[in-house]
Amino acid sequence: MQPGTLSSFLKRGAIWAFIAAELVFFTVAGEFLSVSEKTFMDIDNMLLLFKQSAPIGIIAMGMTIIMVNGNIDLSVGAIYAISAIVLLDSLTWPVFAGLGDGVIPVAWGLALLSGVALGALNGLIVWKTGVDAFIVTLGSMLGYRGLVFMYNGEQPTSHLNWTLVDFAEAQWLGLHTSTWFLLGVTAAIWFLMNRTVHGRNAYAIGNNRSAAVNAGIRVGPHMMINFMIIGFLAALSAVVFYSESGSVNPNDGELYELWVITAVVLGGTKLTGGAGSIVSTFGGVLAIQLLRKGLTHIGADTETVNLVIGLILIAVLFLDRQLNVKGKEELKV
Amino acid sequence: MSDRTPALRLEGIVKTFPGVRALDGVSFDVMPGEVHALMGENGAGKSTLMKVLGGIYQPDEGRIFVGEVPAVMTSPLEAKAKGIVFIHQELSLAEELSVAENIYLGELPRKRFGLVDWARLEQQTNAILAKLRVGFDAKTRVGDLSIANQQMVEIARALTVEAKAVIFDEPTASLTDAEKVVLFDVIAGLQAQGVGIIYISHRMEEIFKITDRISVLRDGSYRGTVKTAETDEESVTQLMIGRKLDLSRNEIHHALGDVALEVRGLSCADLYTDVSFEVRRGEVLGFYGLVGAGRTEIAETLFGLRDPSAGQILLDGRDTVIRSPAAAIALGISLVPEDRKGQGLVLGMNCRDNMTLPQVDDLRAGPFVAEGAEVAIFDQYRDRLDIRTPGWKQLAGNLSGGNQQKIVIGKWLSMHPNVLIVDEPTRGIDVGSKSEIHNLIRELAAQGYAVIVISSEMPEILHVSDRIVAMYSGRIMRTFTAEEVTEDKLIQAISGLTPENVA
């Protein structure tokens, strides 16, 4: 066996072992504590879990590529809110009145375009100024959220288009529309990361930036593309969710960036960049959603849920550190 | 001098590492008020000896005396407490703190309740600074000082204890001529106070200017001590080189091709000035000089990492501007950097991906990377360069230094470059792999590549080069052909003697 195989297997497998442990725990605990008649592993409950994972999960795929590249994006929650407003508001614009339901793809397109544009702005600033992405997106998080409030004050923006709602609530092969989007995005980003030049270079830049530069890789454009991708995905997440709900509050999407980062880090992606896997991020997203759902299932309130997730995040990262140390020692021998 | 007690005396110091006898019975002494030069080529054992003196290594045999007292040092702090103080080549200062805080870092004077006694700190610091006659005071932020003045802070830090012996390790490496004068003044001041000084340097000029005696190490063993006034550069050089080196001089002769790269009057701010040379296909051009002589910076300019401030670069006779590594690579210039792990390899990536990194964009099938083509390239260069790895999936970080270097070289060879620049080809590589890499460099030249090799190791540069450029503080002192070069001429050329003197 090659050195490091064991520890990398443990690390890859860890998130799935964790998910399995959650399922067992909540199933057993649910028998005693749950007020609900249904078991936790009920099929409808699990399908719902996937659907509820979608908003965070879709963005988490973009965050994985951003973090592997060595950056971070804190503005995704604000981009999510802006895109939602663009979607719902543009459905009602008089210019598009003649289109009938033809307005739907137009509104989707506008919302996605907004996401891409805002992401591109982040990327451009990071590229051209050389300021750390954490600072840049911290600023744009505040700025973009400001735009949300400027648009409609404290008022929610609402519009229900029933064709859209039907589409968003549809199930195909048993899975909800948003689940399909999550799976599609996961597959697409997996291919991007593992099979394309862009993905390869993103890993290289995150792992050793100066070696990447010395190999003739242009760092800036790759970073910018990644910020456009995550902007697109934040908008896609909003489009999928608000097509169904039809109403967006100016506070919506707040703290999404932190949930997304939690899921990505739980999946084993390094904050320092250069390492991370889309499949594990998918695991991280499911693990968090399971935890939220499971704790609610056994009667815990929201505050408890957040406390537990916080503790688990720290415990997982500590374990990861121990495994890494082990892996390194294995190498030295 | 013999009737006095030496400030520091070494007696038969032996230090072995697995497979290497790094120090083999080193004995010499430093008198109070004496400046004693310690010379030797890279790898002669100077740094090991300094680590023994500094309490970082324990000698296997032999004794150290400070004054008349035998001293056993088990940590750098203990060495300092005994009065042995180091001024390192690399500065270790906290730039955001004041001069005073840096000097007393870790031992700030305190008042009651653990509060810092700022008044006393300032007063003590200014007292030391006054002795050094420097132009800044205790409150100055260290980051605002020039390198030379920062070095003064290091020296001031050394003087907070009652120093018996002060060891200067290449102190002038980053100083201008004017700053050197100040440093030599300070050294003279220490001398006058009866401190013994060990002065490590490659620069003959300085050695002959300020030292009283010279001790020479070679291959870990002590080769003798001479009085500076009674010797000359040639004799010292002889002591340092000793017997003829085992490494045969490069004797493979083959026809040279056209000039692949020519550089005319190239300058870059204060890093190097008016550099001109050419390299032909089939030729290995060696660059030899001390650290900081500007060799790496020239390589970085050719590779598009630095913009020159003047001069021309001609590739195949055409005037060329190289603004980025991407542009350099497109023009067929490749660089195997000095810092393999920091700049050459992506350690967290597998061997194959590292090897194809610069050309992966050309290895596509539609939107996806053609992994089959990548594996083919990896296999080809693994066989050609004899890279020992269980397979391409192995992470580059898991390979030995020699195999890592071969991956970096293979990465560029698979791009068929016009000019291959190799900076410190064998740094941190074991002896066996060293000669493999040397042979590889010779072979590449024979196959018609134009190769530039930068090295700080004389045997290496003599072994691989067809011609050798000797550099000293940013200037080319002389270019030697393989036939005319000798070790002592080369040492003299890189030690700052004027070109006329060398010839």
Side-chain angles (χ1 to χ4, degrees):
Chain A
M1 195 165 68
Q2 288 176 16
T5 312
L6 178 68
S7 66
S8 75
F9 173 77
L10 280 175
K11 266 154 55 191
R12 290 254 161 112
I15 188 71
W16 303 106
F18 181 59
I19 289 175
E22 280 182 306
L23 287 173
V24 172
F25 176 79
F26 289 123
T27 307
V28 175
E31 292 298 314
F32 302 100
L33 298 169
S34 176
V35 282
S36 156
E37 289 294 301
K38 283 184 176 173
T39 59
F40 185 65
M41 291 275 269
D42 179 76
I43 185 75
D44 285 334
N45 202 22
M46 289 296 113
L47 287 178
L48 196 59
L49 175 103
F50 276 107
K51 182 183 174 180
Q52 290 165 337
S53 301
I56 296 289
I58 290 171
I59 307 176
M61 296 307 150
M63 193 65 88
T64 307
I65 195 167
I66 284 271
M67 284 171 64
V68 162
N69 195 205
N71 288 317
I72 201 155
D73 188 349
L74 300 176
S75 69
V76 287
I79 295 180
Y80 175 87
I82 290 185
S83 308
I85 291 176
V86 170
L87 171 79
L88 296 183
D89 204 51
S90 63
L91 286 170
T92 66
W93 289 349
V95 241
F96 303 140
L99 293 175
D101 275 344
V103 73
I104 292 174
V106 176
W108 275 51
L110 285 173
L112 294 173
L113 205 63
S114 319
V116 173
L118 295 173
L121 183 61
N122 282 336
L124 198 65
I125 296 173
V126 172
W127 174 10
K128 291 298 178 191
T129 64
V131 176
D132 196 88
F134 182 91
I135 305 294
V136 171
T137 59
L138 184 66
S140 61
M141 172 181 93
L142 298 170
Y144 293 169
R145 183 64 65 181
L147 289 179
V148 173
F149 279 94
M150 280 159 72
Y151 191 81
N152 224 356
E154 304 282 341
Q155 299 304 311
T157 308
S158 305
H159 180 77
L160 273 180
N161 177 317
W162 291 105
T163 315
L164 206 46
V165 174
D166 285 343
F167 169 73
E169 284 189 336
Q171 275 174 285
W172 186 57
L173 298 178
L175 299 178
H176 298 88
T177 306
S178 45
T179 308
W180 282 110
F181 271 96
L182 174 61
L183 293 176
V185 166
T186 306
I189 300 291
W190 187 88
F191 271 105
L192 183 73
M193 297 286 286
N194 293 289
R195 291 282 179 268
T196 70
V197 175
H198 174 72
R200 177 79 60 83
N201 288 351
Y203 270 108
I205 293 166
N207 202 291
N208 187 342
R209 189 165 168 159
S210 55
V213 170
N214 284 339
I217 295 171
R218 298 188 63 215
V219 172
H222 283 294
M223 296 197 317
M224 173 130 171
I225 289 172
N226 287 334
F227 276 104
M228 290 166 74
I229 290 171
I230 198 172
F232 174 84
L233 291 178
L236 184 66
S237 171
V239 159
V240 171
F241 184 78
Y242 289 100
S243 289
E244 183 172 1
S245 94
S247 176
V248 51
N249 279 307
N251 286 324
D252 283 6
E254 267 183 358
L255 295 186
Y256 264 37
E257 55 282 344
L258 298 186
W259 286 111
V260 166
I261 293 167
T262 306
V264 174
V265 169
L266 215 50
T269 298
K270 296 244 172 316
L271 279 169
T272 46
S277 119
I278 289 294
V279 177
S280 300
T281 292
F282 189 74
V285 170
L286 290 187
I288 286 192
Q289 197 55 38
L290 259 177
L291 209 55
R292 288 167 109 172
K293 226 176 156 51
L295 288 168
T296 321
H297 181 71
I298 60 174
D301 50 22
T302 323
E303 291 79 6
T304 321
V305 174
N306 287 351
L307 178 67
V308 171
I309 291 181
L311 289 175
I312 284 179
L313 180 68
I314 294 171
V316 164
L317 289 189
F318 175 70
L319 258 177
D320 178 60
R321 206 184 114 82
Q322 297 305 100
L323 280 176
N324 271 330
V325 172
K326 272 235 177 75
K328 289 229 174 79
E329 275 166 6
E330 214 173 293
L331 283 183
K332 276 183 193 146
V333 173
Chain B
M1 271 191 191
S2 53
D3 53 337
R4 287 194 292 147
T5 312
L8 182 70
R9 186 153 61 91
L10 303 177
E11 225 181 61
I13 302 290
V14 174
K15 177 74 193 170
T16 53
F17 295 106
V20 196
R21 208 164 165 87
L23 290 177
D24 193 2
V26 175
S27 312
F28 69 94
D29 53 38
V30 186
M31 288 295 165
E34 179 195 28
V35 181
H36 194 120
L38 184 63
M39 297 193 76
E41 284 197 281
N42 290 330
K46 285 172 302 181
S47 355
T48 312
L49 184 62
M50 290 308 109
K51 282 181 178 155
V52 168
L53 274 177
I56 297 167
Y57 292 157
Q58 301 309 308
D60 300 334
E61 286 169 39
R63 290 193 296 175
I64 302 168
F65 294 88
V66 179
E68 282 172 342
V69 194
V72 177
M73 275 116 22
T74 54
S75 74
L77 266 181
E78 221 178 316
K80 189 175 176 184
K82 291 196 157 67
I84 303 177
V85 173
F86 287 84
I87 312 296
H88 291 286
Q89 188 177 355
E90 276 138 38
L91 303 170
S92 54
L93 297 167
E95 297 205 337
E96 293 300 326
L97 298 184
S98 72
V99 169
E101 286 167 296
N102 266 289
I103 291 176
Y104 284 96
L105 204 63
E107 43 198 14
L108 292 173
R110 279 178 215 177
K111 293 192 290 193
R112 262 177 306 167
F113 311 122
L115 297 175
V116 174
D117 189 344
W118 293 108
R120 193 145 66 91
L121 176 66
E122 202 182 323
Q123 177 214 328
Q124 285 179 357
T125 306
N126 282 332
I128 295 175
L129 294 180
K131 275 195 234 167
L132 295 175
R133 282 174 288 138
V134 291
F136 55 88
D137 72 3
K139 284 182 175 168
T140 317
R141 186 179 155 269
V142 164
D144 295 334
L145 297 175
S146 68
I147 298 291
N149 278 331
Q150 291 189 5
Q151 197 164 32
M152 290 300 159
V153 176
E154 285 273 3
I155 295 173
R157 188 194 265 175
L159 299 181
T160 57
V161 294
E162 200 181 317
K164 302 274 188 350
V166 179
I167 296 148
F168 288 87
D169 187 3
E170 289 279 358
T172 55
S174 46
L175 299 188
T176 64
D177 287 343
E179 290 167 339
K180 278 179 204 167
V181 174
V182 180
L183 177 74
F184 294 157
D185 266 1
V186 168
I187 292 178
L190 288 172
Q191 246 180 311
Q193 292 165 34
V195 176
I197 290 160
I198 297 180
Y199 190 87
I200 301 173
S201 176
H202 287 97
R203 294 164 200 241
M204 292 281 185
E205 211 189 351
E206 295 167 9
I207 298 280
F208 279 89
K209 195 163 159 191
I210 68 164
T211 68
D212 301 307
R213 289 190 295 165
I214 302 171
S215 288
V216 177
L217 294 182
R218 179 170 78 232
D219 301 334
S221 59
Y222 171 69
R223 290 287 142 178
T225 301
V226 290
K227 286 195 174 151
T228 310
E230 295 167 9
T231 187
D232 57 18
E233 282 139 21
E234 217 146 303
S235 330
V236 174
T237 310
Q238 276 302 317
L239 268 181
M240 282 167 66
I241 303 164
R243 58 175 161 65
K244 280 291 167 211
L245 294 149
D246 299 343
L247 275 171
S248 61
R249 200 73 72 71
N250 130 51
E251 271 159 18
I252 318 161
H253 286 287
H254 45 83
L256 296 185
D258 309 331
V259 174
L261 170 78
E262 187 182 350
V263 167
R264 286 188 197 148
L266 202 67
S267 300
C268 181
D270 42 0
L271 295 168
Y272 58 85
T273 318
D274 195 21
V275 166
S276 303
F277 61 88
E278 56 175 43
V279 54
R280 292 174 177 272
R281 289 183 208 286
E283 183 182 41
V284 179
L285 181 66
F287 272 76
Y288 188 65
L290 301 175
V291 172
R295 299 165 301 161
T296 298
E297 289 76 8
I298 293 173
E300 287 172 351
T301 309
L302 294 175
F303 195 59
L305 288 162
R306 279 176 200 281
D307 289 333
S309 50
Q312 274 181 304
I313 300 170
L314 293 96
L315 277 172
D316 292 320
R318 278 191 308 278
D319 201 350
T320 313
V321 176
I322 306 164
R323 293 211 185 283
S324 68
I329 292 166
L331 290 164
I333 299 177
S334 300
L335 173 68
V336 177
E338 181 178 21
D339 177 6
R340 182 170 55 246
K341 292 181 178 174
Q343 298 171 339
L345 284 170
V346 181
L347 294 178
M349 262 189 171
N350 65 45
C351 295
R352 180 200 70 184
D353 293 3
N354 265 293
M355 181 104 68
T356 56
L357 195 59
Q359 56 175 325
V360 67
D361 206 22
D362 304 325
L363 299 174
R364 270 183 301 143
F368 297 133
V369 177
E371 299 199 19
E374 283 190 289
V375 174
I377 289 178
F378 176 79
D379 286 345
Q380 184 189 342
Y381 285 90
R382 181 197 55 204
D383 296 344
R384 180 166 165 196
L385 306 181
D386 192 22
I387 299 171
R388 268 149 280 169
T389 158
W392 63 262
K393 289 181 180 163
Q394 186 67 269
L395 295 185
N398 294 352
L399 299 186
S400 71
N403 283 313
Q404 285 182 342
Q405 191 70 314
K406 288 180 187 172
I407 297 258
V408 182
I409 293 175
K411 171 167 84 175
W412 295 122
L413 289 189
S414 65
M415 309 268 298
H416 310 291
N418 295 317
V419 180
L420 180 67
I421 308 170
V422 192
D423 195 353
E424 299 289 358
T426 59
R427 176 166 291 175
I429 288 176
D430 64 280
V431 182
S433 310
K434 261 190 182 180
S435 64
E436 274 184 65
I437 301 237
H438 292 158
N439 294 340
L440 178 62
I441 290 173
R442 292 303 316 165
E443 266 172 47
L444 292 175
Q447 287 162 20
Y449 286 101
V451 186
I452 294 178
V453 172
I454 299 171
S455 176
S456 302
E457 293 185 37
M458 179 168 323
E460 175 164 286
I461 211 82
L462 288 172
H463 182 53
V464 302
S465 312
D466 293 306
R467 287 187 300 133
I468 300 172
V469 174
M471 289 196 70
Y472 173 75
S473 78
R475 286 179 182 276
I476 291 183
M477 303 306 283
R478 189 170 165 190
T479 304
F480 297 93
T481 63
E483 289 75 31
E484 66 184 354
V485 70
T486 62
E487 285 95 339
D488 44 352
K489 276 190 205 168
L490 200 50
I491 285 206
Q492 286 164 10
I494 63 148
S495 306
L497 299 167
T498 54
E500 301 84 69
N501 290 353
V502 178

